[in-house]
Amino acid sequence: MGISERKEREKAELRQLILEGAMEVFLEVGFENTSIRKIAERIEYSPGTIYVYFKDKDEILHELHHTAFDRLMEVMEKTAVHAEPIDQVYAIGENYITFALENPQLYELMFVLRAPMKAINPECEWEDGWRTYNYFKSVLIKAVEKGQLKLVDPEVLCVTFWAAVHGLVTLYLRERFHNLPQDQVEPLMRHSLRELVKQYQSPPNH
Amino acid sequence: MGISERKEREKAELRQLILEGAMEVFLEVGFENTSIRKIAERIEYSPGTIYVYFKDKDEILHELHHTAFDRLMEVMEKTAVHAEPIDQVYAIGENYITFALENPQLYELMFVLRAPMKAINPECEWEDGWRTYNYFKSVLIKAVEKGQLKLVDPEVLCVTFWAAVHGLVTLYLRERFHNLPQDQVEPLMRHSLRELVKQYQSPPNH
DNA sequence: TGCATTTTTGAACACTGTTCAATATATTTG
DNA sequence: CAAATATATTGAACAGTGTTCAAAAATGCA
């Protein structure tokens, strides 16, 4: 029976079409203005159809958040070209900021908005987030083992660095750096990050 | 003419009543579920009345955000009991985290949500935020001058510390620390902060 | 009391996420 | 091929949202 296989394929294709339309609308008009009706109109289906393929809007946003993580992971893995872990730490931080500033909507979906998290089973893990977290932590551990970072608990290091860059980009994206001269904000953010990592670097031993 | 004075007083009182009702509803049901109709119902007026006293919903949220800053400012100023600026830096950081965790709704209004910022004239300054920012910066400057913090540009110090604690609490409030053992998250956050400030402290001279 | 102002109202508009009986299409059976 | 069945899609309906504005109610003044 090749028919049921074709049907499954078609279902998967329509599901994908919905996600693509959703991503287009989302990137164009932002989270607050993305509606099911707009997505439906974009792909020329009725609003009701979308609910055959997705439980609710949160599930759609969770899927978009998932593909966003794939992109961030790519950006992070590119830093593996650096031979020294400490150089990779700097590179990950810089790329993280760049990613957030270049993809503000995606960034908010991944780390700010509540919606995509609501689609996650409370028991279950936040796999997407954890993948990137653990990648970064593994680099930090290597840097500590090589004596390039001070002997601080890697969990603490990881949370601190992550929170710092997350804080920088979200304060910026949500316009809380409004009073700083706008053309100096991005350099300031990047300077802040470099200085931060520097403070945690091991001092040259005598 | 005492009548027009009384009328003005009554108008101010109703405005205040709306804000109090709005704050009640907001704290009870959160930002996403706060509606003009619910506020109106709470104070037993019709929805239309609210629009006589406020331009739109954002203006109401901006007012709430304003009183929230008054509370945070109180909490910060209490740290002035510390004689040494460096002690005050630690205390401000700790109180900031405590404030955010005890008043999550208010915190999001102040530093996360877009709504209250939309009510601000784009030309104008974000006074509420700037008041607290400058207070913190002045303490940092004192700590640097006293040789308690390393000679880092106070602006960089200020942005870094602020971003770090903001990052910690927002990742927590938006459930991005979901995978960490929940009972260890708050201690971890506070540990992260202490370690951070420690790194920026001046080494003992000679 | 009658008139003029001010204040308050609530229906109406255009949206939102979501549901579900009815319709349309596609597949299988006789 | 035609009828019956199964699947897919629809769009009206529901309860909610922020906001507006003509009408109604309340108040002040002569």
Side-chain angles (χ1 to χ4, degrees):
Chain A
M1 286 275 155
I3 285 180
S4 66
E5 287 164 20
R6 193 207 63 205
K7 283 228 170 185
E8 263 193 50
R9 202 172 59 237
E10 281 176 354
K11 281 192 83 165
E13 276 170 11
L14 182 45
R15 198 186 140 93
Q16 195 53 41
L17 183 69
I18 293 170
L19 287 177
E20 282 163 20
M23 183 64 98
E24 280 178 33
V25 173
F26 180 77
L27 292 179
E28 278 172 31
V29 305
F31 167 74
E32 284 165 329
N33 300 309
T34 298
S35 72
I36 298 291
R37 281 173 181 81
K38 278 182 195 159
I39 297 170
E41 197 179 8
R42 168 71 54 117
I43 59 171
E44 295 175 300
Y45 276 82
S46 90
T49 305
I50 290 177
Y51 284 86
V52 178
Y53 294 83
F54 296 94
K55 190 177 135 285
D56 56 18
K57 196 183 173 184
D58 291 343
E59 194 173 310
I60 298 175
L61 291 169
H62 178 77
E63 287 296 312
L64 298 188
H65 136 290
H66 180 71
T67 75
F69 264 102
D70 285 344
R71 294 199 206 170
L72 175 60
M73 202 62 202
E74 273 181 44
V75 166
M76 284 182 68
E77 281 171 342
K78 274 187 189 162
T79 62
V81 295
H82 293 96
E84 296 304 323
I86 187 65
D87 293 331
Q88 205 183 346
V89 172
Y90 279 100
I92 288 174
E94 278 159 28
N95 287 11
Y96 189 97
I97 291 177
T98 303
F99 178 86
L101 299 191
E102 285 179 355
N103 311 281
Q105 265 102 340
L106 293 186
Y107 188 84
E108 303 210 334
L109 208 48
M110 293 188 279
F111 298 112
V112 182
L113 299 179
R114 286 227 166 76
M117 303 303 273
K118 285 190 216 153
I120 295 178
N121 185 323
E123 302 299 311
C124 188
E125 287 204 342
W126 179 40
E127 272 188 60
D128 294 300
W130 230 229
R131 192 160 46 108
T132 55
Y133 182 89
N134 283 326
Y135 181 80
F136 183 43
K137 194 164 82 176
S138 72
V139 176
L140 290 172
I141 290 172
K142 273 186 254 168
V144 172
E145 283 172 350
K146 272 206 164 186
Q148 296 170 338
L149 282 175
K150 291 180 188 170
L151 266 171
V152 177
D153 176 11
E155 204 80 68
V156 174
L157 277 179
C158 197
V159 162
T160 305
F161 288 173
W162 180 25
V165 288
H166 173 74
L168 287 172
V169 299
T170 52
L171 286 172
Y172 177 68
L173 293 177
R174 294 300 173 98
E175 291 169 55
R176 262 61 177 193
F177 287 150
H178 194 273
N179 297 48
L180 291 167
Q182 283 309 292
D183 55 331
Q184 290 170 37
V185 174
E186 197 184 320
L188 181 61
M189 284 165 57
R190 297 189 182 276
H191 184 77
S192 165
L193 166 65
R194 280 195 303 276
E195 190 69 54
L196 174 70
V197 179
K198 200 178 110 190
Q199 298 298 329
Y200 282 85
Q201 269 188 266
S202 298
N205 41 359
H206 54 269
Chain B
M1 287 272 158
I3 284 177
S4 66
E5 288 164 19
R6 192 207 63 204
K7 284 226 167 183
E8 265 192 49
R9 201 172 58 236
E10 281 175 353
K11 282 191 83 164
E13 276 169 10
L14 182 45
R15 199 186 139 92
Q16 195 53 41
L17 183 69
I18 293 169
L19 287 177
E20 282 163 19
M23 184 65 97
E24 280 177 34
V25 173
F26 180 77
L27 292 179
E28 278 172 32
V29 305
F31 167 74
E32 284 165 329
N33 300 311
T34 298
S35 72
I36 297 291
R37 281 173 181 81
K38 278 182 196 159
I39 297 169
E41 196 178 7
R42 169 70 53 114
I43 59 172
E44 295 175 301
Y45 276 82
S46 92
T49 307
I50 290 177
Y51 284 86
V52 178
Y53 293 83
F54 296 93
K55 190 178 137 285
D56 55 19
K57 196 184 174 184
D58 291 343
E59 194 173 311
I60 297 175
L61 291 169
H62 179 77
E63 287 296 311
L64 298 188
H65 136 291
H66 180 72
T67 76
F69 264 102
D70 285 345
R71 294 198 205 171
L72 176 60
M73 201 63 203
E74 273 181 44
V75 166
M76 285 182 69
E77 280 170 345
K78 274 187 188 162
T79 63
V81 293
H82 293 94
E84 295 304 323
I86 187 66
D87 294 330
Q88 205 183 344
V89 171
Y90 279 100
I92 287 174
E94 279 159 28
N95 287 10
Y96 189 97
I97 290 177
T98 303
F99 178 86
L101 299 191
E102 285 179 355
N103 310 280
Q105 265 100 341
L106 293 185
Y107 188 84
E108 303 210 335
L109 208 48
M110 293 188 280
F111 297 113
V112 181
L113 299 178
R114 287 228 164 75
M117 302 304 273
K118 286 190 215 152
I120 295 178
N121 184 323
E123 301 300 311
C124 189
E125 288 203 342
W126 179 39
E127 271 187 61
D128 293 301
W130 230 229
R131 191 160 46 108
T132 54
Y133 182 88
N134 283 325
Y135 181 79
F136 183 44
K137 195 164 83 176
S138 73
V139 176
L140 290 173
I141 290 172
K142 272 186 254 169
V144 172
E145 283 172 349
K146 272 207 166 187
Q148 297 170 337
L149 283 175
K150 293 180 187 170
L151 266 171
V152 176
D153 176 11
E155 204 80 67
V156 174
L157 277 179
C158 197
V159 162
T160 304
F161 288 173
W162 181 24
V165 287
H166 173 74
L168 288 172
V169 297
T170 51
L171 286 172
Y172 177 68
L173 294 177
R174 294 300 175 97
E175 292 170 56
R176 261 63 176 193
F177 286 148
H178 194 275
N179 296 46
L180 291 168
Q182 282 310 291
D183 55 332
Q184 290 170 37
V185 174
E186 198 184 319
L188 181 61
M189 284 165 57
R190 296 189 182 277
H191 184 78
S192 165
L193 166 66
R194 279 194 305 275
E195 190 69 54
L196 174 70
V197 179
K198 199 177 110 189
Q199 298 298 329
Y200 283 85
Q201 269 188 266
S202 297
N205 42 1
H206 69 262

